[in-house]
Amino acid sequence: MKLFSSHHCFNYAWDQVTAANWQKYPNKLSTHVVSVDILDRTIDVERKTLRTERLIGCKQAIPSWLACLVGSQQYSYVREVSEVDLINKTLVLKSSNLTMNHLLLVNETVVYAPDALLPATRTTFSQNAEFTAYATFSRVCDKLEDWLVERFGQNASTGKDAFESVLQTLTQKWQESGTFVSEVGTTIGDKTSEVLHEVGRLGKVFN
Amino acid sequence: MGNIMSVSFAPECTEAKNKYDDCFNTWYTEKFLKGKSLENECTEFWDTYITCVNSALAKQKIKPMLDKAREDQPFTSEEIRQSAGTEGK
Protein backbone atom coordinates (compact mmCIF):
# COMPACT_ATOMS: atom_id res chain seq x y z
CA MET A 1 0.00 0.00 0.00
CA LYS A 2 1.21 3.51 -0.84
CA LEU A 3 0.06 6.81 0.57
CA PHE A 4 -0.27 10.28 -0.84
CA SER A 5 -1.07 13.45 1.03
CA SER A 6 -1.22 17.16 0.19
CA HIS A 7 -2.26 20.42 1.80
CA HIS A 8 -3.32 23.73 0.37
CA CYS A 9 -5.00 26.98 1.34
CA PHE A 10 -7.71 28.71 -0.70
CA ASN A 11 -8.22 32.47 -0.24
CA TYR A 12 -11.99 32.14 -0.06
CA ALA A 13 -14.43 31.75 2.81
CA TRP A 14 -15.38 28.21 3.80
CA ASP A 15 -19.06 28.59 2.83
CA GLN A 16 -18.09 29.81 -0.65
CA VAL A 17 -15.71 26.88 -1.07
CA THR A 18 -18.45 24.41 -0.14
CA ALA A 19 -20.88 26.04 -2.59
CA ALA A 20 -18.27 25.92 -5.35
CA ASN A 21 -17.69 22.24 -4.58
CA TRP A 22 -21.09 21.45 -6.14
CA GLN A 23 -20.26 23.43 -9.26
CA LYS A 24 -16.64 22.39 -9.69
CA TYR A 25 -17.21 20.45 -12.91
CA PRO A 26 -16.98 20.94 -15.80
CA ASN A 27 -13.87 23.11 -15.82
CA LYS A 28 -11.18 23.61 -18.45
CA LEU A 29 -8.43 21.88 -16.47
CA SER A 30 -10.18 18.78 -15.15
CA THR A 31 -10.99 17.29 -18.54
CA HIS A 32 -10.83 13.74 -17.16
CA VAL A 33 -14.16 14.28 -15.35
CA VAL A 34 -16.93 13.65 -17.87
CA SER A 35 -20.04 13.32 -15.70
CA VAL A 36 -21.33 14.04 -12.19
CA ASP A 37 -24.52 12.54 -10.75
CA ILE A 38 -26.15 12.80 -7.35
CA LEU A 39 -27.32 9.40 -6.11
CA ASP A 40 -28.59 10.32 -2.68
CA ARG A 41 -28.94 13.42 -0.52
CA THR A 42 -30.10 13.56 3.09
CA ILE A 43 -30.15 16.19 5.81
CA ASP A 44 -29.50 15.42 9.47
CA VAL A 45 -31.49 18.24 11.06
CA GLU A 46 -30.04 17.75 14.54
CA ARG A 47 -26.42 17.77 13.37
CA LYS A 48 -27.14 20.41 10.68
CA THR A 49 -25.34 18.16 8.23
CA LEU A 50 -25.96 17.59 4.54
CA ARG A 51 -24.86 14.17 3.30
CA THR A 52 -24.48 13.57 -0.44
CA GLU A 53 -23.56 10.50 -2.47
CA ARG A 54 -22.29 11.18 -6.00
CA LEU A 55 -21.20 9.14 -8.99
CA ILE A 56 -18.33 10.72 -10.90
CA GLY A 57 -17.54 9.48 -14.39
CA CYS A 58 -13.92 9.78 -15.53
CA LYS A 59 -12.05 9.34 -18.73
CA GLN A 60 -8.60 8.44 -17.49
CA ALA A 61 -5.68 7.60 -19.72
CA ILE A 62 -3.88 4.56 -18.30
CA PRO A 63 -0.38 3.41 -19.26
CA SER A 64 -0.18 0.79 -22.01
CA TRP A 65 1.46 -1.82 -19.76
CA LEU A 66 -1.54 -1.49 -17.47
CA ALA A 67 -4.09 -1.60 -20.30
CA CYS A 68 -2.87 -5.08 -21.28
CA LEU A 69 -3.57 -6.20 -17.72
CA VAL A 70 -6.95 -4.67 -17.11
CA GLY A 71 -8.28 -3.95 -20.59
CA SER A 72 -8.77 -0.40 -21.78
CA GLN A 73 -12.19 0.62 -20.57
CA GLN A 74 -13.41 3.92 -21.91
CA TYR A 75 -14.89 5.21 -18.66
CA SER A 76 -14.25 4.58 -15.03
CA TYR A 77 -16.52 5.50 -12.16
CA VAL A 78 -15.84 6.88 -8.70
CA ARG A 79 -18.32 6.89 -5.81
CA GLU A 80 -18.02 9.85 -3.47
CA VAL A 81 -19.76 10.47 -0.14
CA SER A 82 -19.56 13.92 1.42
CA GLU A 83 -20.86 15.70 4.49
CA VAL A 84 -21.20 19.44 4.99
CA ASP A 85 -21.32 20.01 8.75
CA LEU A 86 -22.65 23.51 9.45
CA ILE A 87 -22.04 23.31 13.20
CA ASN A 88 -18.35 22.35 13.07
CA LYS A 89 -17.82 23.99 9.66
CA THR A 90 -16.25 21.06 7.90
CA LEU A 91 -16.71 19.57 4.46
CA VAL A 92 -15.39 16.03 4.15
CA LEU A 93 -15.37 14.11 0.88
CA LYS A 94 -14.54 10.41 0.79
CA SER A 95 -14.25 8.49 -2.45
CA SER A 96 -13.18 5.22 -3.99
CA ASN A 97 -13.13 3.79 -7.49
CA LEU A 98 -15.91 1.47 -8.62
CA THR A 99 -14.18 0.32 -11.79
CA MET A 100 -11.18 -2.05 -11.72
CA ASN A 101 -11.23 -2.14 -7.94
CA HIS A 102 -10.44 -5.86 -7.92
CA LEU A 103 -7.02 -4.84 -9.26
CA LEU A 104 -6.44 -1.55 -7.56
CA LEU A 105 -8.29 0.46 -4.99
CA VAL A 106 -7.86 4.19 -4.45
CA ASN A 107 -9.38 5.53 -1.25
CA GLU A 108 -9.32 9.30 -0.99
CA THR A 109 -10.33 11.68 1.79
CA VAL A 110 -10.49 15.46 1.41
CA VAL A 111 -11.25 17.85 4.26
CA TYR A 112 -12.09 21.56 3.85
CA ALA A 113 -12.20 23.68 7.01
CA PRO A 114 -11.89 27.40 7.86
CA ASP A 115 -8.25 28.41 8.35
CA ALA A 116 -7.34 28.67 12.05
CA LEU A 117 -5.83 32.16 11.72
CA LEU A 118 -8.12 33.69 9.09
CA PRO A 119 -11.36 31.70 9.41
CA ALA A 120 -13.55 34.27 7.61
CA THR A 121 -11.48 34.52 4.44
CA ARG A 122 -9.34 31.43 4.10
CA THR A 123 -10.06 27.72 3.81
CA THR A 124 -7.65 24.87 4.33
CA PHE A 125 -7.68 21.83 2.08
CA SER A 126 -6.12 18.53 3.10
CA GLN A 127 -6.09 15.45 0.96
CA ASN A 128 -5.10 11.91 1.83
CA ALA A 129 -5.17 8.94 -0.50
CA GLU A 130 -4.19 5.32 -0.15
CA PHE A 131 -3.50 3.01 -3.07
CA THR A 132 -3.71 -0.75 -2.89
CA ALA A 133 -2.87 -2.91 -5.90
CA TYR A 134 -4.03 -6.53 -5.94
CA ALA A 135 -2.11 -7.99 -8.91
CA THR A 136 -0.37 -11.36 -8.51
CA PHE A 137 3.22 -10.26 -9.03
CA SER A 138 4.60 -7.94 -6.42
CA ARG A 139 6.87 -6.15 -8.90
CA VAL A 140 3.89 -5.23 -11.03
CA CYS A 141 2.08 -4.02 -7.92
CA ASP A 142 5.03 -1.90 -6.89
CA LYS A 143 5.27 -0.30 -10.31
CA LEU A 144 1.54 0.25 -10.36
CA GLU A 145 1.45 1.86 -6.94
CA ASP A 146 4.41 4.11 -7.83
CA TRP A 147 2.70 5.19 -11.03
CA LEU A 148 -0.50 5.93 -9.14
CA VAL A 149 1.25 8.08 -6.53
CA GLU A 150 3.01 10.05 -9.28
CA ARG A 151 -0.13 10.42 -11.35
CA PHE A 152 -2.20 11.37 -8.33
CA GLY A 153 0.31 14.10 -7.47
CA GLN A 154 0.02 15.59 -10.97
CA ASN A 155 -3.79 15.43 -10.86
CA ALA A 156 -3.91 16.92 -7.36
CA SER A 157 -1.94 19.95 -8.48
CA THR A 158 -4.12 20.45 -11.59
CA GLY A 159 -7.19 19.99 -9.38
CA LYS A 160 -6.13 22.88 -7.12
CA ASP A 161 -5.60 25.22 -10.09
CA ALA A 162 -8.94 24.13 -11.52
CA PHE A 163 -10.78 24.77 -8.26
CA GLU A 164 -9.10 28.19 -7.94
CA SER A 165 -10.46 29.20 -11.35
CA VAL A 166 -13.93 27.85 -10.52
CA LEU A 167 -13.93 29.80 -7.24
CA GLN A 168 -12.88 32.96 -9.04
CA THR A 169 -15.64 32.66 -11.65
CA LEU A 170 -18.32 31.83 -9.09
CA THR A 171 -17.26 34.57 -6.69
CA GLN A 172 -17.70 37.11 -9.47
CA LYS A 173 -21.16 35.71 -10.20
CA TRP A 174 -22.04 35.69 -6.48
CA GLN A 175 -20.81 39.27 -6.08
CA GLU A 176 -22.91 40.42 -9.02
CA SER A 177 -26.01 38.70 -7.69
CA GLY A 178 -25.15 39.58 -4.09
CA THR A 179 -25.48 35.96 -3.00
CA PHE A 180 -22.99 36.05 -0.16
CA VAL A 181 -23.72 39.68 0.84
CA SER A 182 -27.49 39.75 0.31
CA GLU A 183 -28.24 39.87 4.07
CA VAL A 184 -26.41 43.17 4.29
CA GLY A 185 -27.53 44.30 0.83
CA THR A 186 -31.25 44.00 1.47
CA THR A 187 -31.19 45.68 4.84
CA ILE A 188 -29.12 48.74 3.97
CA GLY A 189 -30.28 49.22 0.43
CA ASP A 190 -29.00 49.07 -3.11
CA LYS A 191 -26.53 51.93 -2.95
CA THR A 192 -24.72 50.39 -0.01
CA SER A 193 -24.66 47.06 -1.74
CA GLU A 194 -23.03 48.73 -4.75
CA VAL A 195 -20.41 50.26 -2.47
CA LEU A 196 -19.84 46.90 -0.82
CA HIS A 197 -19.43 45.38 -4.24
CA GLU A 198 -16.77 47.98 -5.08
CA VAL A 199 -15.01 47.44 -1.76
CA GLY A 200 -15.08 43.71 -2.45
CA ARG A 201 -13.49 44.29 -5.83
CA LEU A 202 -10.82 46.57 -4.37
CA GLY A 203 -10.20 43.98 -1.68
CA LYS A 204 -9.44 41.47 -4.36
CA VAL A 205 -6.92 43.82 -5.94
CA PHE A 206 -5.03 44.30 -2.69
CA ASN A 207 -5.07 40.68 -1.57
CA MET B 1 -17.57 28.19 -16.88
CA GLY B 2 -20.19 29.28 -14.41
CA ASN B 3 -23.32 28.66 -16.41
CA ILE B 4 -22.08 25.50 -18.09
CA MET B 5 -23.39 22.58 -16.08
CA SER B 6 -22.03 19.10 -15.75
CA VAL B 7 -23.71 16.26 -17.58
CA SER B 8 -25.17 13.00 -16.31
CA PHE B 9 -23.47 9.67 -17.07
CA ALA B 10 -26.76 8.91 -18.82
CA PRO B 11 -27.40 11.55 -21.54
CA GLU B 12 -31.18 11.11 -21.19
CA CYS B 13 -30.95 12.31 -17.54
CA THR B 14 -28.89 15.48 -18.14
CA GLU B 15 -31.86 17.81 -18.60
CA ALA B 16 -33.53 16.63 -15.39
CA LYS B 17 -30.19 16.82 -13.60
CA ASN B 18 -29.56 20.44 -14.66
CA LYS B 19 -33.00 21.49 -13.41
CA TYR B 20 -32.38 19.77 -10.08
CA ASP B 21 -28.82 21.19 -9.78
CA ASP B 22 -30.09 24.72 -10.45
CA CYS B 23 -32.70 24.39 -7.72
CA PHE B 24 -30.22 22.79 -5.31
CA ASN B 25 -27.44 25.36 -5.82
CA THR B 26 -29.85 28.23 -5.13
CA TRP B 27 -31.25 26.50 -2.05
CA TYR B 28 -27.72 25.68 -0.83
CA THR B 29 -26.29 29.22 -1.09
CA GLU B 30 -29.44 31.21 -0.26
CA LYS B 31 -30.93 29.03 2.47
CA PHE B 32 -28.89 26.11 3.78
CA LEU B 33 -25.62 28.01 4.32
CA LYS B 34 -27.50 30.88 5.93
CA GLY B 35 -29.22 28.52 8.34
CA LYS B 36 -32.64 29.41 6.90
CA SER B 37 -33.65 25.93 5.78
CA LEU B 38 -32.81 22.39 6.74
CA GLU B 39 -35.42 20.97 4.42
CA ASN B 40 -34.86 19.76 0.89
CA GLU B 41 -36.92 22.14 -1.23
CA CYS B 42 -36.18 20.59 -4.61
CA THR B 43 -38.10 17.33 -4.25
CA GLU B 44 -40.14 17.84 -7.42
CA PHE B 45 -37.00 18.06 -9.60
CA TRP B 46 -35.27 15.39 -7.54
CA ASP B 47 -37.96 12.77 -8.10
CA THR B 48 -37.82 13.09 -11.89
CA TYR B 49 -34.03 13.08 -11.92
CA ILE B 50 -33.45 10.14 -9.57
CA THR B 51 -36.03 7.98 -11.35
CA CYS B 52 -34.11 8.53 -14.57
CA VAL B 53 -30.74 7.84 -12.87
CA ASN B 54 -31.88 4.65 -11.15
CA SER B 55 -33.18 3.17 -14.37
CA ALA B 56 -29.94 4.09 -16.21
CA LEU B 57 -27.79 2.62 -13.40
CA ALA B 58 -29.56 -0.71 -13.83
CA LYS B 59 -29.44 -0.57 -17.63
CA GLN B 60 -25.71 0.24 -17.78
CA LYS B 61 -24.88 -2.39 -15.14
CA ILE B 62 -23.34 0.13 -12.75
CA LYS B 63 -25.76 -0.81 -9.95
CA PRO B 64 -23.91 -4.03 -8.87
CA MET B 65 -20.56 -2.16 -8.63
CA LEU B 66 -22.24 0.58 -6.65
CA ASP B 67 -23.87 -1.82 -4.22
CA LYS B 68 -20.56 -3.58 -3.64
CA ALA B 69 -18.80 -0.28 -2.93
CA ARG B 70 -21.58 0.76 -0.53
CA GLU B 71 -20.91 -2.45 1.36
CA ASP B 72 -17.08 -2.40 1.18
CA GLN B 73 -16.60 1.35 1.75
CA PRO B 74 -19.74 2.55 3.52
CA PHE B 75 -18.18 5.94 4.40
CA THR B 76 -20.44 6.25 7.43
CA SER B 77 -21.03 9.53 9.27
CA GLU B 78 -18.77 8.20 12.05
CA GLU B 79 -15.89 7.63 9.59
CA ILE B 80 -16.46 11.08 8.14
CA ARG B 81 -16.45 12.77 11.54
CA GLN B 82 -13.27 10.90 12.37
CA SER B 83 -11.60 12.30 9.23
CA ALA B 84 -12.84 15.79 10.09
CA GLY B 85 -11.51 15.46 13.63
CA THR B 86 -14.97 16.34 14.96
CA GLU B 87 -15.93 12.98 16.50
CA GLY B 88 -17.59 13.40 19.87
CA LYS B 89 -18.45 17.03 19.13
Side-chain angles (χ1 to χ4, degrees):
Chain A
M1 194 206 279
K2 296 254 158 81
L3 302 169
F4 173 87
S5 103
S6 93
H7 298 271
H8 184 68
C9 225
F10 289 102
N11 284 316
Y12 294 90
W14 176 82
D15 49 358
Q16 279 174 275
V17 169
T18 69
N21 174 56
W22 308 121
Q23 299 175 61
K24 189 173 167 185
Y25 304 110
N27 69 66
K28 278 182 217 142
L29 294 169
S30 312
T31 48
H32 63 287
V33 174
V34 290
S35 69
V36 180
D37 281 276
I38 301 95
L39 301 175
D40 192 33
R41 203 161 239 161
T42 50
I43 301 161
D44 184 329
V45 176
E46 210 168 290
R47 286 175 50 223
K48 292 193 177 174
T49 295
L50 174 76
R51 183 178 165 94
T52 305
E53 181 183 38
R54 296 199 292 183
L55 177 74
I56 297 161
C58 303
K59 186 178 63 185
Q60 180 83 281
I62 55 171
S64 54
W65 56 264
L66 182 58
C68 72
L69 258 179
V70 301
S72 48
Q73 273 168 302
Q74 207 186 348
Y75 296 114
S76 59
Y77 290 102
V78 170
R79 171 179 171 262
E80 173 205 85
V81 175
S82 64
E83 287 194 8
V84 182
D85 180 338
L86 276 189
I87 298 173
N88 296 303
K89 289 211 171 216
T90 53
L91 162 61
V92 178
L93 304 112
K94 280 184 169 285
S95 61
S96 67
N97 56 309
L98 295 183
T99 322
M100 300 195 296
N101 56 12
H102 57 294
L103 283 160
L104 57 100
L105 186 67
V106 184
N107 256 314
E108 189 199 9
T109 302
V110 167
V111 180
Y112 290 99
D115 180 68
L117 293 173
L118 294 166
T121 52
R122 280 177 70 152
T123 303
T124 59
F125 159 94
S126 66
Q127 176 187 40
N128 284 291
E130 45 176 69
F131 308 91
T132 316
Y134 298 107
T136 326
F137 304 104
S138 60
R139 280 179 62 193
V140 175
C141 289
D142 255 5
K143 199 176 169 190
L144 180 57
E145 288 177 338
D146 284 340
W147 175 77
L148 278 166
V149 171
E150 187 192 312
R151 186 60 204 230
F152 207 82
Q154 290 163 1
N155 277 350
S157 141
T158 314
K160 271 170 235 156
D161 294 343
F163 201 35
E164 284 281 4
S165 80
V166 170
L167 278 161
Q168 204 181 352
T169 312
L170 284 172
T171 302
Q172 208 172 353
K173 202 175 99 184
W174 286 329
Q175 276 178 347
E176 275 157 19
S177 67
T179 298
F180 283 95
V181 288
S182 65
E183 296 278 274
V184 190
T186 44
T187 40
I188 353 184
D190 282 352
K191 199 71 208 158
T192 319
S193 133
E194 260 173 51
V195 174
L196 280 171
H197 185 121
E198 282 304 308
V199 172
R201 277 179 43 189
L202 285 171
K204 269 179 78 178
V205 174
F206 291 119
N207 278 333
Chain B
M1 233 294 317
N3 295 319
I4 310 159
M5 300 187 85
S6 61
V7 300
S8 170
F9 76 99
E12 67 272 25
C13 304
T14 296
E15 201 188 324
K17 173 189 145 61
N18 290 346
K19 280 182 189 159
Y20 168 72
D21 276 347
D22 258 341
C23 176
F24 171 80
N25 286 326
T26 306
W27 170 82
Y28 186 84
T29 50
E30 301 289 333
K31 299 204 173 161
F32 178 76
L33 282 179
K34 292 176 180 171
K36 286 182 187 167
S37 165
L38 284 170
E39 203 178 314
N40 182 1
E41 292 173 9
C42 304
T43 48
E44 196 187 314
F45 298 109
W46 171 256
D47 290 344
T48 315
Y49 168 56
I50 201 65
T51 307
C52 184
V53 163
N54 282 334
S55 125
L57 284 175
K59 239 186 284 173
Q60 296 196 26
K61 300 190 171 67
I62 300 172
K63 189 75 178 24
M65 296 195 281
L66 202 54
D67 287 340
K68 192 178 179 296
R70 283 169 174 159
E71 207 180 299
D72 294 347
Q73 286 91 33
F75 298 143
T76 61
S77 289
E78 286 69 32
E79 280 178 81
I80 285 177
R81 268 178 281 177
Q82 212 170 357
S83 296
T86 56
E87 66 271 41
K89 276 193 192 171

